[in-house]
Amino acid sequence: MAHDARREDYLRMSLRFALSLDEGSPDHAARAFASFGRRFAQSRDSLPQSDADRAFHLVSLATELLDYRLPFVGEELVEPLRARARGMLDEALALDPFCHDAARMRTGLDVASHEERLRLLMERADLVRSSCEKDRDALCELLEEPRRPLAASIAMRPWWRWLAETAECALICGRNHAALAAAEELMDADPSDLSDVRFTLAYTLVKLEDAPGLERLVWRYPTLGDTRADDAWILLSQAALAYKRLELDAARHLLGRLLEAYRGCGAALAQQVEIGDGFFARIRVPAYSEDELVVALSEGVVLLQEGVERTGKGVFGAWVAKTALELDPAAPKGPATKGAQRGASGQ
């Protein structure tokens, strides 16, 4: 899962530093760049930076608080941490009113309703896109050709994250065609799918009962770079479609494949714990870990909780829980898995 705020902060600053060295000799540039990592870590303020760079650094700090610390603190620390993050995001917007990540995360903090968040995301979408394209074009004009692809990617990432959250929010709200449109627009804009919006797209195609569309998405996986055709989102989506068609043997086989890919995680499938979404982007977790499965299942409540079932889970969710324990009888049946307790931290 590729959106790493700290890494992106480093890349932004490295591009700015490289730009500041372009007027000097190659030998001087090489010597100066050799010290960049140390200066970034120990004396960031000594490096050249714009207000937009300073704003994004505050976004990175807020991300650390909201996405990777907040899930693990006691209840008494939740509001103080949220207040600190809110202050950082406000400062970021004061430095750079076009810091779209800060604006989007601020909305996530202040607007509880997914419908209202979706409305705001859709209303501002054209402004965010044109702003990012303007930044991309201006930056690429200043840089030599070898650096332009990275610069263009970094400039467009706030727009990509905006679209990714739009797709996810639309899916939660049952606006499946809007989710489909946002996800496909993002995959067209970023064919490598840095945002992993294919996961949202897979669930959307299940909601639309578009089996051919899901097959085309699987066929597209090899073109996306470092992707896995047996990730939890794809396998759960395929199982859900098979279940909808009453192809229970096929659905059971797919659930078995899921347990093979995520060994020892039967309890997560049985319990289906919901966790909060990341504010900056989908939270980063190790591949094939229990934490990754917990994230996929939490996002998959739109599939798991369809229909009414006496256990409190949806019809498909109840079948998944029962079948997972049949396929993995050693799975603990306690109140929470290790991954769910950590909130899929990636720590």
Side-chain angles (χ1 to χ4, degrees):
M1 301 181 185
H3 283 295
D4 181 342
R6 287 182 293 184
R7 175 65 177 164
E8 193 166 323
D9 187 25
Y10 178 91
L11 291 173
R12 288 176 64 104
M13 290 291 286
S14 69
L15 279 174
R16 183 73 59 188
F17 191 60
L19 189 60
S20 74
L21 298 174
D22 279 349
E23 298 300 320
S25 69
D27 287 344
H28 169 72
R31 288 194 301 272
F33 226 101
S35 67
F36 172 78
R38 175 184 54 78
R39 290 176 64 186
F40 178 84
Q42 299 177 7
S43 56
R44 178 193 169 92
D45 287 344
S46 72
L47 292 169
Q49 55 194 298
S50 66
D51 282 347
D53 297 326
R54 295 183 180 91
F56 190 84
H57 180 59
L58 288 165
V59 166
S60 174
L61 296 176
T63 298
E64 195 67 23
L65 290 180
L66 292 172
D67 291 352
Y68 299 102
R69 287 190 57 191
L70 190 64
F72 318 108
V73 301
E75 190 173 336
E76 71 281 0
L77 294 177
V78 168
E79 282 309 315
L81 271 183
R82 288 172 67 92
R84 280 179 60 193
R86 186 179 286 109
M88 291 173 179
L89 296 174
D90 285 344
E91 186 179 350
L93 287 167
L95 284 167
D96 177 16
F98 294 98
C99 184
H100 304 299
D101 287 305
R104 180 177 53 81
M105 293 167 71
R106 194 71 167 79
T107 297
L109 275 172
D110 294 340
V111 179
S113 162
H114 283 100
E115 286 283 358
E116 180 64 11
R117 284 168 60 189
L118 178 60
R119 184 186 67 79
L120 292 171
L121 288 166
M122 295 180 77
E123 280 182 356
R124 302 173 188 172
D126 289 342
L127 169 65
V128 175
R129 179 175 184 169
S130 62
S131 171
C132 290
E133 289 174 341
K134 182 179 178 181
D135 289 345
R136 177 198 62 196
D137 295 345
L139 186 56
C140 286
E141 279 186 11
L142 299 174
L143 291 167
E144 297 175 349
E145 182 63 36
R147 296 183 187 134
R148 288 177 184 170
L150 176 61
S153 171
I154 290 174
M156 295 306 295
R157 288 179 193 183
W159 162 240
W160 296 346
R161 288 187 283 269
W162 195 278
L163 272 179
E165 183 163 337
T166 300
E168 179 66 25
C169 211
L171 178 61
I172 292 170
C173 294
R175 301 274 299 278
N176 299 320
H177 289 285
L180 180 67
E184 289 185 335
E185 182 177 2
L186 178 47
M187 291 191 75
D188 287 341
D190 175 29
S192 65
D193 192 24
L194 188 72
S195 305
D196 293 338
V197 76
R198 63 189 179 279
F199 299 155
T200 307
L201 178 56
Y203 288 166
T204 302
L205 291 167
V206 177
K207 295 292 286 186
L208 293 169
E209 300 190 23
D210 185 355
L214 187 60
E215 287 182 14
R216 287 193 297 271
L217 178 60
V218 174
W219 295 338
R220 191 173 178 181
Y221 260 50
T223 71
L224 300 177
D226 186 19
T227 56
R228 301 160 284 134
D230 61 346
D231 64 58
W233 288 264
I234 280 292
L235 289 172
L236 189 64
S237 296
Q238 290 173 325
L241 267 181
Y243 185 84
K244 283 175 178 282
R245 295 193 297 253
L246 300 181
E247 298 170 359
L248 299 187
D249 287 344
R252 185 183 180 91
H253 172 72
L254 288 159
L255 209 60
R257 285 185 57 197
L258 187 57
L259 284 167
E260 288 176 8
Y262 295 81
R263 292 189 178 277
C265 296
L269 279 168
Q271 292 155 13
Q272 301 165 25
V273 175
E274 288 189 62
I275 61 172
D277 296 328
F279 283 83
F280 179 71
R282 181 179 278 107
I283 56 178
R284 302 177 69 251
V285 289
Y288 296 116
S289 66
E290 185 179 20
D291 285 345
E292 183 177 71
L293 182 57
V294 168
V295 173
L297 289 165
S298 182
E299 294 178 6
V301 296
V302 293
L303 310 180
L304 295 162
Q305 293 184 3
E306 281 187 334
V308 178
E309 206 275 339
R310 61 182 178 81
T311 65
K313 294 181 170 68
V315 175
F316 177 58
W319 179 85
V320 166
K322 174 178 175 292
T323 307
L325 292 177
E326 291 172 358
L327 293 170
D328 186 11
K333 301 174 178 61
T337 68
K338 177 177 64 176
Q341 289 170 336
R342 288 199 303 271
S345 70
Q347 303 299 305

